[in-house]
C-alpha cells in the first residue's frame, strides 16, 4: 500500500459543483487514468480516497488535497501524467508526493484555511470599507446565527479568525483576505464571516455577488505553517 | 457569450446544471463549422442528460468536422425566474451562446407532458413559437423521439419532426441545411423546409393541411405542395453494428437519473404487448454483435470512468447471447471495479439467475412487470406471462435471497372488469405466501405500482377509449381496500395527469391552441407532480372550446381517419386492427423474433430484417 497525496485545484470552470460532485469527478478521473487505486472490502466496495476539507458550491480553490490509497507505488511523475490527461477542465495538479509511513488522515491534520473573498462594492468610499473591517478586527467577540434546515445555532466567529482580515481595493470591488481556523469542534465558513460583516458591521457590499476562493489549507502550529504536501 | 452572474448561480438549486464543462463535452469554434445544432430534451438537466438518443446524436454530429452540436435543457423554475428577471436568453452549455443563434434546435420528445416546456424554452430563447412566425434567420426547430409519431398537437410549433431512429437521418438533415446555407439560404424558410420534406422520415407539418368533419373528426390530412410525401415513413437503421454509438458520453458532475454507462444491446422488441407503443415504433429487433458490445463496453469504461454498466434495451433479458455477454463483461472488467446491471427483468427463473450473477451481493429489490393482475387480462394485452412463470420467478428470487419485490401493473385496459383489477391484489398476496412457504416465515416486502392506462397511437389499442378519471379513482380505491397488509405498499398514478396525457397522445392539431393557452397561464414541468396544474389545463380546454374527452375517452371506429394516419411506423393499420380483435377474444400472438412473422408489415415495407444472433446460430 502506498498513499499518494496530491495538491489539486477547483477552477472557475467548475465553481458551482458540490464537494460530492468534485469527489466523484476525481474518482472517475482516477479510473480513466488507470491508477492502481485500492478499494475497500465488503458489499459495496468504494475507492480509497480522502480529502482534506469539503469545498462548498460556488467556491473555487487553488489548494485542495486528496490522498489516494494505491495497491502499488508507481512512479509519481507517471501517475501525475496519467491523471493529468484524465482530469476535467477546472482540476489541475499542482503537487504530488507519496506519504511515507503511517500518516494521519488529511481531515485530522489540516487546521487552517485561507480565503479570498471578492465582492462588488455598494459604496464609493473605500474608507467606509476599511472602517467596517477595522471594527470587526477589533471586536472581542462576534455572535453569528447560523441557519440551517436543522435549526438555528449561535456561533462566536472571532475564535476561528486566525488573523485580522486584510483588504485590497479593486475596481468597483473589494478583496478580503481571511484566515480561518478549522478545529475539532467546528469552524466558520467564509461566506458566513461576510454575512456577519454585512449584517453587523455595515460592510457596504453586494453580498449576493460574492466570489470565494480558497488560497490555502495548512497544518499550522506555533512554529510553522506548512501545506499538506510539504510535510 | 452569455455572462452568468454569481448572484444568480449562488441562489439557484444545483447551479452545476447550468455551467457545463463536463468531461467529454465538446467545444468547437463556431466560425470553423458550417452548421450549429443545439440538442435538447425539454426537461431538467438530470433527465435530459440521461437520454441515450441524444448522447448518440451528440457524438455523431460532433464527429463531423462541419458541425458543432451542443446541449440545452429546461432551466428549473428557480433558474427560469432568475433568467427572466435578468433578461438572459436560453443558452447552450458548451459555448454559452444564445440558442437563438444556432442553425438547428432539436428537441427530443419523449412524453407528451413535456410539451409545455418546449414552448417555454422557445420563449426563453427569444424564438417565435409558431413555425409560421419564424423567418430564415431563426433556427430550424426539429422534434425527434417517440412522440413525433403523433406530434400533431405540437405541429404548429415545429418546423419538422423526425420519425424513427436519428443516426442516419440527422446527417441527411445537416447536409441539407449546410448546402442551403452555402447557397445563401435560397428561397428562404420555405426553401429549406421543402428540401427537408424530401428526406425520408422527415415530416414538415406546415406542408400539410388538415380538414375536419362536422362531428369534429379528422376528414383528411393532405400535402399542400409536391415536395411533401403523402405518407411519411419512419427511418430505421438496418444494422446497428455499422453505426456510431455513444462511446464517449458526457460524464456529468452532478448525479443524473441514469448515471452509468448505457450499453444498448439491441433495438426493438417484438414480444407484441398490445398496449406498448415502443414495441411497434422500434420494430424490427436488431441486435448488436456480442464482440462489438464487449469492445464498446471497454471503450466506454476508459472514456468515462464510470464503474457501472447498465445493459439497456426494451427487454434486455431477450438478448440472444446474454449469459455469455454478461460473463465476458464481468470477467474482463472486474479488475477495474466495474459492475453490470440489468434494468429490466423478464419474468422467469433465467432472469433471476442472471440477476443473481450480476448483483452477486447486493440484494436490493427486484422489479417485475406483469402489467395485469389476471391471466385473462394478460392474454388480452398479449403479455406472454403465466401465473406459473410469475410464481417460478418470484420463488427463484426468494430462494436466491431477495425479499423485496416490486410489481408494476396498469389499470383501465380494454375489457377490464373489477375482477381483473382485484387480480392485482391476489397476485400481491400470492407473492407474500410464496415467501412464507419458502422461508417458513413472513418477511417479504411487496410494492405494487399501478399506472393508469393511456392508449397510444400506432398500437392495437389506439381505437380504445381511455377510462374516465373517476373510474380510475374508483378502481384505485377498490384495490386499496384490498391491499391492507402492512407488507404491501401500494402506489398509484394520478388519474388526472393520465387523462391529460391521454388527450395529447391521440390529439390533433387543434390542441396546439390549448397547449399555448395553458403555457401562457403557467403550465410547465407537467410531468412533475408538484408543478402539474390540472385546473390550468382544463381552463385552457374550456377557453379554446375544445373537449378533452373527445380525444381521451372516446372509442373510435376502425374506419375513422386518425390524426396520425399520414405518419407511418411501418406497421400496417390492418395488423393493429387484427391485434385489437385478437385482444378482445383473448388470443395470443407470438414473438416474431424467434417464432414466425406476424406480418406487421415493417420488414417488407422498410426493407429491413430481424437480426437475432441466437436464432441464426
Ligand atoms: S414484419 Fe414480421 S418479422 Fe418483421 S417485425 Fe413485423 S412481425 Fe416481425
Amino acid at each position: 500500500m502506498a498513499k499518494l497525496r496530491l495538491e489539486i485545484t477547483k477552477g472557475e470552470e467548475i465553481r458551482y459543483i458540490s464537494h460530492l460532485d468534485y469527489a466523484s469527478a476525481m474518482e472517475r478521473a482516477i479510473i480513466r487514468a488507470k491508477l492502481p487505486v485500492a478499494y475497500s472490502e465488503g458489499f459495496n466496495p468504494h475507492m480509497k480516497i480522502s480529502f482534506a476539507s469539503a469545498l462548498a458550491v460556488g467556491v473555487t480553490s487553488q489548494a485542495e488535497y486528496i490522498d489516494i490509497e494505491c495497491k502499488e507505488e508507481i512512479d509519481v511523475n507517471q501517475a501525475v501524467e496519467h491523471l493529468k490527461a484524465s482530469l476535467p477542465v477546472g482540476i489541475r495538479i499542482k503537487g504530488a508526493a507519496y506519504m511515507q509511513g503511517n500518516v494521519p488522515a488529511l481531515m485530522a491534520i489540516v487546521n487552517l484555511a485561507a480565503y479570498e473573498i471578492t465582492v462588488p462594492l455598494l459604496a464609493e468610499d473605500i474608507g467606509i470599507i476599511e472602517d467596517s473591517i477595522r471594527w470587526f478586527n477589533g471586536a472581542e467577540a462576534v455572535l453569528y446565527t447560523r441557519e440551517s434546515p436543522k435549526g438555528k445555532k449561535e456561533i462566536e466567529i472571532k475564535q476561528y479568525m486566525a488573523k485580522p482580515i486584510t483588504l485590497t481595493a479593486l475596481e468597483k470591488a473589494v478583496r478580503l483576505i481571511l484566515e480561518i481556523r478549522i478545529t475539532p469542534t467546528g469552524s466558520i465558513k467564509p461566506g458566513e464571516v461576510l454575512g456577519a460583516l454585512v449584517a453587523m458591521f455595515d460592510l457596504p457590499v453586494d453580498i449576493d455577488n460574492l466570489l470565494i476562493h480558497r488560497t490555502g489549507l495548512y497544518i499550522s502550529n506555533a512554529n510553522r505553517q506548512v501545506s499538506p504536501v510539504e510535510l | 457569450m452569455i455572462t452568468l452572474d454569481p448572484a444568480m448561480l449562488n441562489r439557484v438549486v444545483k447551479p452545476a446544471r447550468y455551467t457545463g464543462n463536463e468531461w467529454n463535452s465538446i467545444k468547437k469554434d463556431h466560425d470553423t463549422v458550417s452548421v450549429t445544432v443545439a440538442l435538447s430534451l425539454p426537461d431538467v438537466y438530470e433527465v435530459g442528460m440521461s437520454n441515450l438518443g441524444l448522447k448518440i446524436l451528440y457524438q455523431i454530429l460532433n464527429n463531423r468536422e462541419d458541425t458543432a452540436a451542443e446541449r440545452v435543457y429546461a432551466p428549473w423554475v428557480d433558474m427560469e425566474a432568475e433568467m427572466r428577471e435578468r433578461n438572459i436568453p436560453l443558452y447552450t452549455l458548451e459555448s454559452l451562446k444564445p440558442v437563438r443563434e444556432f442553425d438547428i434546435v432539436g428537441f427530443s420528445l419523449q412524453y407528451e407532458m413535456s410539451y409545455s416546456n418546449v414552448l417555454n424554452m422557445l420563449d426563453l430563447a427569444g424564438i417565435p413559437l409558431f413555425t409560421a412566425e419564424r423567418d430564415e434567420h431563426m433556427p430550424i426547430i426539429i422534434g425527434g423521439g417517440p412522440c413525433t409519431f403523433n406530434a400533431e398537437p405540437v405541429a404548429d410549433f415545429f418546423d419538422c419532426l423526425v420519425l424513427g431512429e436519428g443516426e442516419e437521418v440527422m446527417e441527411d438533415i445537416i447536409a441539407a441545411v449546410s448546402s442551403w446555407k452555402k447557397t445563401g439560404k435560397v428561397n428562404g424558410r420555405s426553401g429549406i423546409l421543402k428540401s427537408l420534406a424530401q428526406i425520408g422520415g422527415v415530416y414538415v407539418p406546415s406542408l400539410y393541411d388538415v380538414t375536419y368533419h362536422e362531428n369534429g373528426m379528422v376528414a383528411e390530412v393532405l400535402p399542400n405542395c409536391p415536395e411533401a410525401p403523402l405518407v411519411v415513413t419512419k427511418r430505421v437503421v438496418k444494422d446497428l453494428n455499422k453505426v456510431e454509438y455513444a462511446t464517449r458520453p458526457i460524464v456529468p458532475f452532478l448525479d443524473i437519473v441514469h448515471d452509468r454507462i448505457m450499453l444498448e444491446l439491441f433495438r426493438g422488441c417484438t414480444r407484441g404487448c398490445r398496449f406498448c407503443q415502443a414495441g411497434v415504433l422500434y420494430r424490427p429487433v436488431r441486435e448488436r454483435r456480442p464482440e462489438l458490445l464487449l469492445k464498446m463496453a471497454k471503450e466506454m469504461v476508459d472514456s468515462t470512468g464510470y464503474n457501472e454498466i447498465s445493459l439497456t434495451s426494451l427487454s434486455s433479458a431477450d438478448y440472444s447471447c446474454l449469459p455469455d455477454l454478461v460473463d465476458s463483461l464481468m470477467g474482463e472488467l472486474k479488475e477495474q471495479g466495474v459492475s453490470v446491471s440489468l434494468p429490466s427483468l423478464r419474468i422467469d427463473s433465467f432472469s433471476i439467475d442472471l440477476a443473481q450473477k450480476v448483483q452477486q451481493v447486493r440484494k436490493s429489490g427486484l422489479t417485475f412487470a406483469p402489467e395485469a393482475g389476471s391471466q385473462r387480462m394478460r392474454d388480452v394485452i398479449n403479455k406472454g406471462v403465466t401465473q406459473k412463470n410469475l410464481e417460478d420467478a418470484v420463488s427463484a428470487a426468494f430462494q436466491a435471497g431477495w425479499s423485496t419485490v416490486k410489481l408494476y401493473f396498469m389499470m383501465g385496459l380494454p375489457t377490464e372488469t373489477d375482477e381483473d383489477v382485484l387480480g392485482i391484489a391476489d397476485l400481491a398476496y400470492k407473492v407474500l405466501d410464496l415467501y412464507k412457504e419458502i422461508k417458513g416465515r413472513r418477511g417479504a416486502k411487496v410494492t405494487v405500482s399501478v399506472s393508469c392506462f393511456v392508449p397510444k397511437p400506432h398500437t392495437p389499442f389506439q381505437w380504445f377509449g381511455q377510462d374516465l378519471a373517476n373510474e380510475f379513482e374508483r378502481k384505485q380505491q377498490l384495490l386499496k381496500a384490498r391491499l391492507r397488509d402492512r407488507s404491501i405498499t401500494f402506489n398509484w398514478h394520478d388519474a388526472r395527469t393520465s387523462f391529460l396525457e391521454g388527450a395529447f397522445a391521440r390529439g390533433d392539431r387543434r390542441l396546439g391552441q390549448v397547449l399555448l393557452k395553458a403555457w401562457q397561464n403557467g403550465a410547465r414541468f407537467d410531468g412533475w407532480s408538484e408543478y402539474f396544474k390540472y385546473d390550468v389545463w382544463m381552463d385552457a380546454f374550456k377557453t379554446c372550446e375544445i373537449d378533452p374527452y373527445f380525444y381521451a375517452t372516446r372509442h373510435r371506429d376502425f374506419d375513422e381517419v386518425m390524426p396520425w394516419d399520414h405518419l407511418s411506423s411501418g406497421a400496417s393499420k390492418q395488423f393493429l386492427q387484427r391485434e385489437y380483435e385478437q385482444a378482445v377474444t383473448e388470443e395470443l400472438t407470438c414473438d416474431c423474433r424467434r417464432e414466425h412473422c406476424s406480418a406487421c408489415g415493417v420488414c417488407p415495407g422498410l426493407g429491413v430484417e430481424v437480426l437475432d444472433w441466437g436464432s441464426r446460430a
Side-chain angles (χ1 to χ4, degrees):
Chain A
M1 284 288 185
K3 196 183 252 184
L4 180 62
R5 179 166 294 174
L6 300 178
E7 182 176 80
I8 53 179
T9 63
K10 180 186 172 202
E12 193 55 47
E13 300 89 340
I14 55 169
R15 176 184 288 277
Y16 295 98
I17 72 173
S18 70
H19 178 67
L20 224 62
D21 298 339
Y22 185 73
S24 69
M26 278 309 294
E27 227 175 84
R28 285 164 189 167
I30 290 166
I31 297 179
R32 293 192 291 263
K34 297 194 155 74
L35 295 191
V37 62
Y39 286 87
S40 68
E41 302 287 323
F43 276 175
N44 218 337
H46 59 264
M47 194 182 274
K48 287 192 171 172
I49 56 174
S50 57
F51 290 83
S53 164
L55 204 57
V57 174
V59 182
T60 55
S61 171
Q62 65 194 50
E64 292 304 291
Y65 299 91
I66 176 177
D67 279 347
I68 305 169
E69 195 99 45
C70 294
K71 286 182 281 194
E72 56 186 293
E73 189 170 327
I74 56 166
D75 176 61
V76 172
N77 294 324
Q78 208 188 328
V80 168
E81 276 319 302
H82 284 177
L83 198 51
K84 262 187 182 163
S86 306
L87 287 171
V89 287
I91 305 182
R92 282 182 305 115
I93 303 175
K94 292 174 64 192
Y98 279 104
M99 294 290 114
Q100 302 308 331
N102 206 356
V103 281
L106 279 165
M107 273 288 194
I109 50 172
V110 164
N111 59 7
L112 186 75
Y115 294 94
E116 281 177 5
I117 303 180
T118 310
V119 60
L121 281 177
L122 294 175
E124 295 282 299
D125 183 4
I126 191 77
I128 303 180
I129 312 287
E130 285 166 348
D131 285 348
S132 154
I133 298 293
R134 201 174 306 124
W135 181 16
F136 175 87
N137 284 340
E140 259 321 289
V142 175
L143 287 178
Y144 175 83
T145 312
R146 176 181 287 167
E147 286 181 46
S148 73
K150 280 178 247 155
K152 289 187 183 182
K153 196 180 157 198
E154 194 136 276
I155 301 169
E156 200 287 297
I157 294 184
K158 292 299 298 262
Q159 60 174 320
Y160 299 119
M161 303 304 294
K163 265 197 195 154
I165 298 176
T166 57
L167 68 93
T168 328
L170 307 171
E171 202 185 329
K172 294 203 175 103
V174 64
R175 177 166 300 156
L176 308 179
I177 293 162
L178 284 69
E179 284 193 13
I180 294 175
R181 286 195 190 99
I182 304 168
T183 77
T185 52
S187 186
I188 187 94
K189 292 183 192 133
E192 292 172 329
V193 177
L194 192 70
L197 280 164
V198 170
M200 289 175 255
F201 297 86
D202 301 338
L203 186 73
V205 294
D206 172 13
I207 189 166
D208 286 342
N209 271 306
L210 90 169
L211 292 174
I212 303 174
H213 179 61
R214 182 139 82 191
T215 55
L217 279 174
Y218 303 102
I219 299 139
S220 159
N221 59 35
N223 311 320
R224 62 182 203 140
Q225 181 167 319
V226 292
S227 84
V229 280
E230 291 167 335
L231 271 184
Chain B
M1 203 175 127
I2 308 265
T3 16
L4 302 169
D5 264 1
M8 165 165 99
L9 294 170
N10 281 332
R11 205 147 39 206
V12 298
V13 174
K14 299 191 190 171
R17 286 167 171 167
Y18 313 110
T19 53
N21 285 316
E22 306 93 329
W23 179 256
N24 283 341
S25 60
I26 296 170
K27 293 186 189 184
K28 291 188 183 179
D29 178 354
H30 288 197
D31 292 336
T32 65
V33 298
S34 42
V35 181
T36 53
V37 187
L39 293 173
S40 179
L41 189 145
D43 207 319
V44 74
Y45 178 91
E46 295 92 312
V47 176
M49 280 289 290
S50 299
N51 181 270
L52 181 59
L54 287 183
K55 288 179 207 269
I56 296 174
L57 290 183
Y58 188 81
Q59 181 156 332
I60 288 184
L61 296 180
N62 277 317
N63 277 354
R64 293 177 65 112
E65 291 219 345
D66 65 348
T67 306
E70 307 193 354
R71 296 159 299 144
V72 57
Y73 304 108
W76 194 243
V77 282
D78 57 349
M79 183 65 171
E80 182 196 336
E82 296 283 340
M83 288 170 73
R84 288 196 186 275
E85 194 189 311
R86 290 155 208 268
N87 281 319
I88 293 178
L90 193 71
Y91 61 90
T92 57
L93 293 172
E94 280 76 5
S95 62
L96 301 187
K97 283 214 165 93
V99 165
R100 161 179 82 228
E101 292 172 14
F102 280 71
D103 295 317
I104 296 173
V105 181
F107 285 101
S108 171
L109 302 174
Q110 296 291 322
Y111 27 85
E112 292 81 5
M113 305 305 278
S114 67
Y115 288 167
S116 59
N117 275 10
V118 173
L119 298 203
N120 201 40
M121 288 177 75
L122 289 176
D123 181 66
L124 268 172
I127 297 171
L129 298 185
F130 288 94
T131 172
E133 292 170 349
R134 295 192 283 263
D135 64 15
E136 68 270 24
H137 304 297
M138 280 295 157
I140 298 161
I141 310 299
I142 301 184
C147 290
T148 60
F149 283 88
N150 179 33
E152 286 300 282
V154 288
D156 294 340
F157 309 104
F158 278 87
D159 297 316
C160 65
L161 296 155
V162 175
L163 309 191
E165 291 157 354
E167 281 98 340
E168 293 162 346
V169 66
M170 270 315 279
E171 302 226 38
D172 299 345
I173 291 173
I174 298 289
V177 171
S178 167
S179 70
W180 175 65
K181 281 184 77 183
K182 283 197 186 107
T183 59
K185 300 194 174 176
V186 66
N187 294 331
R189 195 89 189 157
S190 112
I192 185 63
L193 293 186
K194 285 182 177 168
S195 87
L196 290 174
Q198 294 169 61
I199 298 173
V202 178
Y203 169 48
V204 179
S206 59
L207 303 183
Y208 295 76
D209 293 327
V210 186
T211 49
Y212 302 93
H213 290 300
E214 238 163 63
N215 61 10
M217 293 177 199
V218 171
E220 272 181 326
V221 182
L222 283 178
N224 56 28
C225 70
E227 287 82 358
L230 261 175
V231 171
V232 180
T233 305
K234 80 170 180 195
R235 287 291 284 265
V236 54
V237 172
K238 270 190 188 172
D239 184 353
L240 288 174
N241 297 290
K242 295 193 178 129
V243 290
E244 181 85 10
Y245 186 69
T247 49
R248 296 183 305 279
I250 294 175
V251 183
F253 288 109
L254 58 153
D255 256 350
I256 59 170
V257 179
H258 298 296
D259 211 5
R260 54 190 75 89
I261 290 170
M262 290 197 207
L263 188 64
E264 188 193 34
L265 309 183
F266 60 88
R267 223 168 269 174
C269 169
T270 40
R271 299 196 141 240
C273 296
R274 293 175 177 132
F275 56 85
C276 177
Q277 192 188 37
V280 177
L281 300 187
Y282 300 108
R283 279 168 182 246
V285 167
R286 287 144 297 145
E287 294 191 342
R288 281 199 170 87
R289 289 194 176 277
E291 313 83 63
L292 176 66
L293 289 168
L294 186 62
K295 181 169 156 268
M296 279 167 31
K298 286 194 221 159
E299 260 176 70
M300 284 190 278
V301 171
D302 289 350
S303 74
T304 62
Y306 274 127
N307 58 7
E308 186 184 344
I309 298 179
S310 167
L311 306 180
T312 41
S313 297
L314 284 171
S315 160
S316 296
D318 285 342
Y319 183 60
S320 61
C321 318
L322 193 58
D324 289 349
L325 177 70
V326 169
D327 280 343
S328 47
L329 281 174
M330 297 200 357
E332 302 217 16
L333 297 167
K334 207 173 204 156
E335 266 298 283
Q336 286 166 265
V338 179
S339 66
V340 177
S341 66
L342 283 164
S344 60
L345 286 183
R346 213 165 61 186
I347 304 176
D348 53 23
S349 42
F350 164 82
S351 292
I352 305 300
D353 289 347
L354 264 179
Q356 202 178 357
K357 191 183 269 174
V358 298
Q359 309 196 333
Q360 275 147 352
V361 274
R362 246 182 295 161
K363 295 279 188 247
S364 55
L366 285 184
T367 303
F368 298 109
E371 312 287 6
S374 68
Q375 190 59 50
R376 192 197 73 78
M377 198 76 255
R378 284 194 296 273
D379 290 345
V380 167
I381 61 177
N382 201 44
K383 181 90 194 175
V385 168
T386 62
Q387 179 81 16
K388 180 161 186 320
N389 293 148
L390 257 164
E391 290 177 13
D392 288 352
V394 172
S395 305
F398 290 155
Q399 260 143 11
W402 273 280
S403 59
T404 306
V405 175
K406 275 192 204 146
L407 301 172
Y408 281 100
F409 299 95
M410 282 181 286
M411 58 168 57
L413 291 160
T415 76
E416 183 179 75
T417 63
D418 284 359
E419 209 176 308
D420 296 313
V421 175
L422 291 172
I424 295 175
D426 296 344
L427 211 60
Y429 283 109
K430 180 77 207 168
V431 171
L432 288 182
D433 290 347
L434 277 173
Y435 188 86
K436 221 172 136 196
E437 253 169 57
I438 291 165
K439 297 278 173 173
R441 59 184 155 84
R442 286 178 62 94
K445 290 245 170 296
V446 178
T447 302
V448 173
S449 290
V450 185
S451 63
C452 303
F453 173 57
V454 178
K456 293 275 167 132
H458 303 280
T459 67
F461 293 159
Q462 64 174 354
W463 293 278
F464 176 72
Q466 191 183 11
D467 269 6
L468 291 164
N470 56 16
E471 176 65 359
F472 276 127
E473 280 155 8
R474 186 189 67 81
K475 288 176 180 172
Q476 286 165 348
Q477 288 312 314
L478 186 73
L479 195 50
K480 198 175 159 199
R482 194 61 80 83
L483 291 172
R484 292 242 181 256
D485 195 288
R486 275 180 43 226
S487 312
I488 301 176
T489 311
F490 176 39
N491 300 323
W492 62 93
H493 277 202
D494 176 31
R496 299 185 308 171
T497 312
S498 305
F499 172 62
L500 187 66
E501 194 187 329
F504 273 84
R506 291 185 294 169
D508 57 38
R509 284 193 189 188
R510 292 170 294 190
L511 291 191
Q513 309 162 48
V514 178
L515 173 59
L516 179 68
K517 194 89 249 128
W519 166 72
Q520 285 168 339
N521 291 334
R524 64 211 58 181
F525 285 108
D526 296 299
W528 297 76
S529 53
E530 67 267 44
Y531 289 102
F532 178 58
K533 298 181 180 129
Y534 182 70
D535 297 341
V536 164
W537 282 100
M538 289 308 114
D539 284 349
F541 275 106
K542 204 177 278 162
T543 318
C544 301
E545 294 180 13
I546 288 176
D547 175 14
Y549 296 91
F550 174 81
Y551 297 100
T553 59
R554 182 174 61 90
H555 283 275
R556 278 85 162 160
D557 286 333
F558 286 128
D559 57 10
E560 180 174 337
V561 175
M562 298 292 194
W564 54 89
D565 276 350
H566 57 302
L567 306 173
S568 169
S569 70
S572 70
K573 220 171 170 178
Q574 291 83 334
F575 166 73
L576 299 178
Q577 181 176 340
R578 204 159 62 229
E579 283 298 301
Y580 191 21
E581 285 160 352
Q582 285 188 311
V584 176
T585 53
E586 299 162 25
E587 280 170 82
L588 298 178
T589 301
C590 69
D591 186 347
C592 65
R593 181 180 196 149
R594 281 159 210 162
E595 290 170 66
H596 61 82
C597 168
S598 34
C600 76
V602 171
C603 295
L606 275 57
V608 286
E609 55 182 333
V610 175
L611 292 181
D612 178 276
W613 309 118
S615 65
R616 322 201 137 194

